[in-house]
Amino acid sequence: MIFTELVDFMETTGGAAFADAVLLRADLPNDGAFTAVGNYPASYAVDMVAAASAITGIDGNILCENYGSFLFTRLLDHFPQIVASYTSSNGLLRHVASHIHEEVRVLYPDAKPPLIETVDDGDALRVRYESHRPFAHIAFGLIRACLVHYGDPRGIQWERAGSAYSATFRIAPVAALAP
Amino acid sequence: MTAIEPPDADQRIAMLERQLRRARVALREAEGLLETRARELERSNRELMAREQALLERLDTDNRMLLEAERIGNFATIRETRDAPAIASAPLSDLLGMPVAAGFRLAAVASQVHALDQGRFRDFVHAATGDGPPAAMLDFAHRLRREAGPPRWLRWRLQRRITGDGQFLDITGTVQDISEPRAAGRRVQTLQLLDTRRTRRMLRLARDVESAERARIAFLALMSHDVRTPMTGLLGMLSLLGATSLTADQRRQVGLAQRGAEQLRLLLDEIIRLAEDDSGQLALEQAPLALRSTLESIVDFWRSARPDAAARVTLAIDPGAPEWVSLDPTRFRQVVDNLVSDALERSGERVAVALGHRPGWLRLGVDGGPAGAAANSNARNLAIAVCQRIVDALGGRLARTTTAAAERIEIGLPVRIVEPPEHDPATEASRILVVDDVETNRLVVCGMLRLHGIETVEAADGVEAVARATEGSLSAIIMDIAMPEMDGLEATRRIRALPGAIGKVPIIGLTAHAGARERDAAIAAGMNVCLSRPIDRQTLTLVVDRHLGRTRASATPAINQNAFRDIFDRFDPAARATLFHHFEADLADQVGRLAQAVAAVDATAAGRAVHSLTGIAGTFGLEALRRLLPATDSGGTVNEATLAEITAAAQAAVAAARQLLSAPPTDGDP
């Protein structure tokens, strides 16, 4: 659903013509025909983000983060009971791997969800992302939207340079975050 | 982000067409995926249904097997819970003899329970299904109510569970018809009881038979002992009578009387031997035995003891037969002696003794003529019975082959070949000089000694005896006292005067006069001991053995240390000293009484003293003394020779006891 939601994100934010232009420009082997139940190469998403960045002049990473935040609201629509079962962002984030990704694996045996690890650090929480797909920025956007949803006043920061495949985020009170 | 608006309608149409195309392709792809997933689901569903079916069948089979098992084992399963109705397997109705409807309660069974078990059953149901008592395995058996026939028994085994606060939760278990196993158990018990009673009765009978047999043998032995003493005298008188001048007719009559008396004596000997052998376990010893010389001495004895046998007895020894074997020498001699004597007795035929050998076994055959009508069958049977018993005890076999013309008795004995002993006084060839002017007396004494494995030389009077002694190489001398030419006393004095070892040779006197004066004179002349005639073989060999230093008692310790310690170690040193004082005094006192009784020829007093001594010897483990003491019911058989032995053994026991007490006790007690 990452791909269908990405197309939706393009349409929602830039309109149907923009989404069409991105798909034309990305020139994907399937011509941008995505279904929520299908499985596609990560490069399709990378190509689409690159095309959108070229058309709009906005940094691809920023686009990914924004898409991540958009995706969280969609997940909230699709699976409200999952989100409702947690009362805080920490609660949800700690159980991403054991709860949500486990269900994904059961429903879609071919799917390979990313590795998400959390480590408590006083008031702060460290979240590590690692995947065969370069979607660290999407994850970053997802977490940011999650904090907003739970009214969590803390901020989020890339802890180390990392890469799109592997990164660690630090969630902490804004004052404690590096400038 | 800024929306991009297509410039015109055509471009807009083209965009919509592209969107439509993408939507169609995506739709088809999605449909394909859904199709695939649907098929997978369908397949999984079918597999699940198949597994469910298999499980159901398995459950059904298990259930049927359980029911079958219940039918065969005559039991049913039951489960009753606090709230839900009870569940029971089908056989329960048959077991109880009442229809069991779903939802019945255990308590309802009471209507089928035997009137006498009703109360117990109610208690059982209360214990099983009531609140309170802890969880447990309940086991209960009761009878069923029945119109006729033997009672049927049911056994309940229920596992009871309770909740945390002690409330009854459920019971699960079995109820089984145990009428048959119970009845079988009863039958087994009854049979065992019968068997135990029968065995006890048989043991009692066996004991009665045994004691009757012992009494019979003891009576026989006693009678034989009593009869043998005058018989020995009779024989002596007959031989003396035979030496006087008689007419041919008288000589023939005396000869007949002698033969009859001799036969009677042989029979008595056999009875005594049988009685002695039967009086308990045959005590066997293992000692080196020289086969050839033993057999030769036996055959020689019979050749000389019976003039008619001299030419009849032959001895053949397999050259491969071992020289020395380990075997009880006394018992072996007894068996061969009996067999040869028996063969000589039963006919006038030749008697052939043959010794063969196989690895680990000796084969001794004695061939003789058939048992004629004249032979004394009672004596024969006794002799053979003695042999059979000894051979059995030695682990061998005895075979008797009879034909019209001959009879052969063959024995096989397991033996171990041994090296000849280096120097053992017990087996060293001893040579004894027998001095007596009466040839028959010499013959009898020599015969006794040869049977005992002792070589003999003879002298007819004192002069001949001194001459023979001068030649040396004698182990002992048995000397008659009253003789022509030179009497035994003078001869003894002269031999004692001889230089060297021969001057110290043991000299055993024999006299027909049992008076103290006679005995004192003999001892004064230098004799070691003086025995009264008639002399029996036992006394003679006992005294000879003692003086040759090959007394059998020497193999027996004076004191059984363990038995002695058992008593003395229980006391502290002071008490031990007191106990020892009493022990020594009692022993001396009883030996003294025995000596007085023997001197006074008072059999009753002797019996009492022997009885007391046997008690002391048994209590303190005085083994050597105990062996010397005759059975208490024949105390009269103690004579001077055995009295000397008994006195010596008592003194040795006191000395050994004193030594034991001065040594530290075995348990380290100070």
Side-chain angles (χ1 to χ4, degrees), chain B residues 71-92:
Chain B
R71 197 182 58 73
I72 292 169
N74 245 338
F75 74 96
T77 45
I78 180 170
R79 177 176 155 82
E80 179 166 329
T81 58
R82 182 180 188 78
D83 307 314
I87 308 164
S89 59
L92 185 62

Side-chain angles (χ1 to χ4, degrees), chain B residues 446-491:
Chain B
C446 288
M448 288 173 179
L449 292 174
R450 281 188 207 138
L451 269 181
H452 200 52
I454 294 170
E455 201 182 317
T456 56
V457 284
E458 297 174 29
D461 56 41
V463 179
E464 210 180 308
V466 175
R468 184 63 194 75
T470 319
E471 293 167 18
S473 72
L474 290 176
S475 316
I477 297 171
I478 295 176
M479 183 86 78
D480 184 22
I481 292 188
M483 284 184 293
E485 301 291 327
M486 182 194 289
D487 68 12
L489 299 178
E490 180 57 27

Side-chain angles (χ1 to χ4, degrees), chain B residues 325-402:
Chain B
V325 292
S326 178
L327 198 62
D328 187 320
T330 316
R331 298 297 179 187
F332 179 71
R333 210 168 269 140
Q334 197 179 346
V335 170
V336 181
D337 203 22
N338 266 327
L339 293 182
V340 173
S341 151
D342 172 61
L344 283 169
E345 284 298 320
R346 70 179 176 247
S347 74
E349 304 284 328
R350 294 180 65 85
V351 173
V353 180
L355 179 75
H357 174 253
R358 268 199 216 163
W361 284 84
L362 276 189
R363 245 169 212 292
L364 185 96
V366 178
D367 285 288
N376 185 330
S377 65
N378 279 338
R380 271 213 79 192
N381 289 341
L382 266 172
I384 304 291
V386 168
C387 290
Q388 178 75 61
R389 198 174 138 76
I390 293 170
V391 169
D392 285 348
L394 292 170
R397 285 190 207 99
L398 183 145
R400 201 165 159 183
T401 321
T402 314

